[in-house]
């Protein structure tokens, strides 16, 4: 089975600034395919019931409602799997940390920490349930996030998501080292 593309980052200097290009891991293809398949298997028959006035009896409408609920859950799983997976960059210079056009001064920033997803449970019995658990575990393995705390009490700032745990820790260490050049000890 294909694995997710590993998350990675590159560091380069541009004058006195440090630029960090972050490329999150691609979502697990099998996870995306399962969500689309599940949405189609339930959504299309549910839509067929809703579009056919002859099938508007209470049982059919209840089944269509359940099918639409499954479709919404599959859509939510797709959205969750894809969010935060686009490449982006961070810029560190004497003025602060720049992310998505916003520059946060060093005086407002606290420490950086890595948020790791819940540890995967051991794969259950073989078969379809084991396959589904393995696919979900591979998707979850690339959901680490790097957060930047703020000193003003605001919620932490998301610096990067869609990372593998090792990449997230290396990125945190690289950011700490680059920030040390610009912040007083």
């Amino acid at each position: 089975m294909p694995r997710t593309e590993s998350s990675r980052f590159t560091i380069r200097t541009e004058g006195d600034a440090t630029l960090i290009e972050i490329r999150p891991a691609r979502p697990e293809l099998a996870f995306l395919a399962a969500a689309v398949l599940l949405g189609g298997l339930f959504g299309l028959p549910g839509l067929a019931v809703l579009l056919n006035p002859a099938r508007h009896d209470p049982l059919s409408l209840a089944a269509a409602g359940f099918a639409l609920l499954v479709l919404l859950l599959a859509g939510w799983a797709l959205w969750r799997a894809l969010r935060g997976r686009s490449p982006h960059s961070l810029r560190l210079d004497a003025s602060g940390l720049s992310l998505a056009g916003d520059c946060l001064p060093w005086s407002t920033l606290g420490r950086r920490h890595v948020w790791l997803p819940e540890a995967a449970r051991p794969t259950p019995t073989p078969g379809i349930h084991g396959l589904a658990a393995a696919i979900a575990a591979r998707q979850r393995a690339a959901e680490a996030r790097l957060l930047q705390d703020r000193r003003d009490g605001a919620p932490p700032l998301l610096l990067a998501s869609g990372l593998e745990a090792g990449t997230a820790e290396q990125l945190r260490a690289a950011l700490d080292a680059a920030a040390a050049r610009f912040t007083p000890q």
Side-chain angles (χ1 to χ4, degrees), residues 16 18 30 43 76 103 120-121 124 130 137 149 152-153 155 162 168 172-173 181-182:
D16 192 33
T18 301
W76 177 74
C103 183
R121 296 182 185 110
D149 288 336
D152 60 3
R172 185 197 53 76
R181 294 181 31 217
F182 304 109

Side-chain angles (χ1 to χ4, degrees), residues 61-157:
L61 289 175
F66 175 73
L68 291 177
L69 177 65
V70 172
L71 180 63
L72 286 173
L73 287 173
W76 177 74
L78 275 174
W79 172 79
R80 196 161 170 240
L82 295 171
R83 74 177 172 166
R85 299 290 177 133
S86 60
H88 61 281
S89 61
L90 302 172
R91 180 182 173 90
L92 295 84
D93 58 20
S95 62
L97 172 68
S98 297
L99 170 68
D102 292 332
C103 183
L104 300 163
W106 292 115
S107 61
T108 64
L109 300 177
R111 67 180 188 88
R112 282 165 287 284
H113 62 278
V114 173
W115 177 89
L116 297 173
E118 180 182 316
R121 296 182 185 110
T123 304
T125 60
I128 191 72
H129 297 293
L131 177 62
I135 290 170
R138 284 196 307 268
Q139 175 66 23
R140 219 177 8 256
E143 289 183 350
R145 298 182 200 148
L146 179 61
L147 302 169
Q148 171 74 57
D149 288 336
R150 299 185 196 185
R151 291 187 179 136
D152 60 3
L157 178 68

